[in-house]
Amino acid sequence: MKTLQVLAPVALVGELNGDILAAKNPDTRVPIASVTKLLITYQLYDAIKQGTLSWRDRLVTSQRIADFTKSDLVAEIKLSTGESYTVEDALDAFFILSENTFAFAFAEKIFQNIANWQAQTIKLLAKWGINNPVIPNPSGLSNQDLVTYQDPEMTDSYEPLFSAKEVLTMTSHLVNDFPEILALTQKMKFNFVTDRQAYPYLNRFKFLAIPTHKWLGLKTGTSPDTESFVGVVEAKGRRYITVYLAARIEFLEPKGTNCYIESEKMLTDVLG
């Protein structure tokens, strides 16, 4: 297997079937920040498929969720107790804005509470061959930033940890089982509408502007000091997945750009 020369400590280029073409430390677990959101996204689509939830169902904001959104660090969209919105609008904001609020709203709607979500997620991951996962919450935030969802028994730095190989597995299942997620990530204009407000916003994914290959999606992840990007790309008539995790932000200039540039470089290195 070819070894990737990239800034991130963990990276790979793989195929939709899970095969790895090139990698760097593919089995090393690192914080993946909002890339964690791929899991609850899969579970949401699955709930829709099973008929236990519909896109037009309305979610009602609890006091706990409303208090969570008061933190500017974790929530861009502010909600008040009793405010309602559709599952579809919430998914758009969740995936495009990486709005942490809806990770917890979805988990509580589908699984009743976070403990149940965690137990069911561990079972799902085991089914996919991912054992003993570190998956404390559905958002990817560290415990110190969880506001009303903090676990007082855990350290401030407790957060989801996954390897590039495990992220490839998660991404493969999401894209293969629910390919419509790619259409969502290519839309440009959105409007999150509740019974009390409208919040228009644009797609901020920079990978849509990368000219060399045809990038189709998927998800970024940012912490105070690292940046990650998982991408799905079409090249030479086939689709590939790039996984680029936990690159130190001091290496990235300007911030939010090099995770895309480095992913493009490693894809070119592998595919030509």
Side-chain angles (χ1 to χ4, degrees), residues 76-77 92-93 95-98 184-192 199-206 208:
E76 179 175 336
I77 298 174
D92 289 349
F95 214 80
I96 300 301
L97 295 180
S98 207
L184 168 60
T185 59
Q186 293 180 68
K187 287 173 57 179
M188 295 307 299
K189 293 183 179 181
F190 300 85
N191 192 21
F192 177 74
Y199 191 93
Y201 58 97
L202 300 175
N203 194 325
R204 302 170 187 175
F205 287 155
K206 297 181 180 69
L208 295 173

Side-chain angles (χ1 to χ4, degrees), residues 59-67 69 79-85 101-102 194:
L59 304 179
V60 180
T61 305
S62 65
Q63 183 65 57
R64 191 180 190 185
I65 289 286
D67 289 344
T69 69
L79 298 171
S80 57
T81 304
E83 190 168 359
S84 69
Y85 47 87
T101 304
F102 303 122
T194 77

